[in-house]
């Protein structure tokens, strides 16, 4: 009987495990293996030559390879941090707004917010490239109504990366608002009623009930927001191509540039492995942070 259960379990899980292995674990292991090789993407895998950790030494060196990689790593970290810092509080605020029962049109507003996430990033990037146009862009025209001069947006190193962040926030905010609303629906209404009987103000109920009970939802949202931000590619590739002066040269775009355009597959693989390890460290730190907050609560 037990063998039959094991056989049935294997039949049910086998296809899913095979798909995960073929499309996730095999490419991951291949990338790790290539990161220790000197290999050109214009040749077959049989031409790869083992060089140890030289690729990792090169990407963290003071040469042009190392400077470009470290610059892209810093840009990615800034982009990710700004995206998460803006998306999470904004999604909580919008989630509280559309979740209120006395607010009319809450379902409609929720639908409109989520529809932004359904728009392909390519389309969003093309639209925002027009919005950010220094001469014809509506944003600068609106600023002109208030006596503010035209902004450089994508053409200045000081504002280009933040402009891409705003694009990402607009596209992602609907999804995370829906996540927050889903978390809010799991909070028992009796807790708020008891707090009102005790004379708690709205801000006290938010700090003592809403935020603590949204911790798991916010942890999940934080992980997804970080993963999405680290994977940014389309806006950079379509609008800025890493410029101006490499100010928007994020790691995914830089890895494509090195690994495909320059055919340096070994270096590109080492950069990919470094990005993966950085992402793992960030997520583990996030779990530890929320874990400590949960213990205190």
């Amino acid at each position: 009987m037990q063998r039959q259960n094991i056989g049935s379990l294997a039949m049910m899980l086998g296809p899913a495990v095979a798909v995960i292995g073929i499309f996730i674990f095999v490419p991951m292991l291949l990338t790790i293996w290539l990161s220790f090789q000197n290999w050109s993407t214009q040749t077959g895998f049989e031409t790869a030559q083992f060089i140890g950790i030289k690729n990792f030494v090169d990407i963290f060196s003071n040469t042009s390879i190392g400077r470009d990689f470290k610059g892209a790593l810093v840009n990615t970290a800034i982009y990710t941090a700004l995206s998460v810092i803006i998306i999470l509080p904004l999604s909580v605020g919008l989630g509280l707004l559309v979740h209120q029962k006395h607010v009319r049109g809450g379902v409609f507003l929720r639908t409109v917010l989520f529809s932004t996430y359904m728009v392909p990033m390519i389309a969003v990037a093309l639209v925002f490239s027009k919005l950010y146009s220094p001469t014809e862009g509506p944003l600068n025209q609106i600023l002109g109504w208030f006596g503010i001069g035209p902004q450089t947006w994508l053409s200045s190193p000081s504002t280009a990366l933040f402009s891409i962040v705003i694009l990402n926030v607009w596209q992602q905010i609907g999804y995370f608002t829906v996540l927050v609303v889903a978390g809010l629906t799991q909070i028992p209404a009796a807790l708020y009623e008891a707090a009102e009987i005790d004379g708690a103000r709205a801000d006290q109920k938010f700090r003592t009930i809403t935020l603590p009970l949204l911790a798991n939802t916010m942890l999940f949202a934080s992980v997804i927001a970080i993963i999405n931000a680290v994977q940014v590619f389309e806006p950079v590739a379509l609008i800025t191509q890493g410029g101006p002066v490499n100010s928007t040269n994020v790691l995914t775009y830089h890895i494509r540039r090195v690994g495909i355009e320059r055919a340096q597959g070994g270096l590109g693989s080492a950069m990919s492995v470094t990005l993966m390890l950085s992402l793992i460290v960030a997520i583990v730190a996030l779990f530890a942070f929320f874990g400590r907050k949960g213990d205190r609560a």
Side-chain angles (χ1 to χ4, degrees), residues 3 5-6 37 56 81 108 115 133 149 165 170 181 186 192-193 201-202 224 231 242:
R3 291 183 178 178
N5 292 336
I6 294 175
Q37 312 292 322
F56 293 94
F108 174 75
S115 65
S133 175
V165 170
W170 184 91
V181 171
Q186 302 302 313
Y192 292 106
E193 295 172 359
R201 300 189 305 272
I224 299 301
Q231 293 178 342

Side-chain angles (χ1 to χ4, degrees), residues 24 26 48 52 63 114 121 139 196 199 206 220 237 239 267 288 294:
I24 296 180
V26 171
T63 63
F114 188 72
M121 179 58 84
L139 292 180
E196 288 180 359
F206 176 74
F220 176 76
I239 302 177
L267 277 176

Side-chain angles (χ1 to χ4, degrees), residues 70-89:
K70 286 180 284 189
L73 183 62
V74 170
N75 288 340
T76 303
I78 294 173
Y79 176 89
T80 301
L82 287 175
S83 296
V84 174
I85 289 172
I86 296 175
I87 285 176
L88 293 185

Side-chain angles (χ1 to χ4, degrees), residues 32 74 77 85 117 222 236 287:
I32 294 173
V74 170
I85 289 172
Y117 185 72
S222 300
V236 175
F287 272 91

Side-chain angles (χ1 to χ4, degrees), residues 50-96:
F50 179 76
I51 57 174
I53 62 172
K54 186 178 184 304
N55 287 326
F56 293 94
V57 173
D58 288 342
I59 63 177
F60 285 103
S61 67
N62 291 324
T63 63
S64 60
I65 294 174
R67 288 192 297 270
D68 290 343
F69 170 76
K70 286 180 284 189
L73 183 62
V74 170
N75 288 340
T76 303
I78 294 173
Y79 176 89
T80 301
L82 287 175
S83 296
V84 174
I85 289 172
I86 296 175
I87 285 176
L88 293 185
L90 188 58
S91 63
V92 171
L94 291 173
L96 289 171

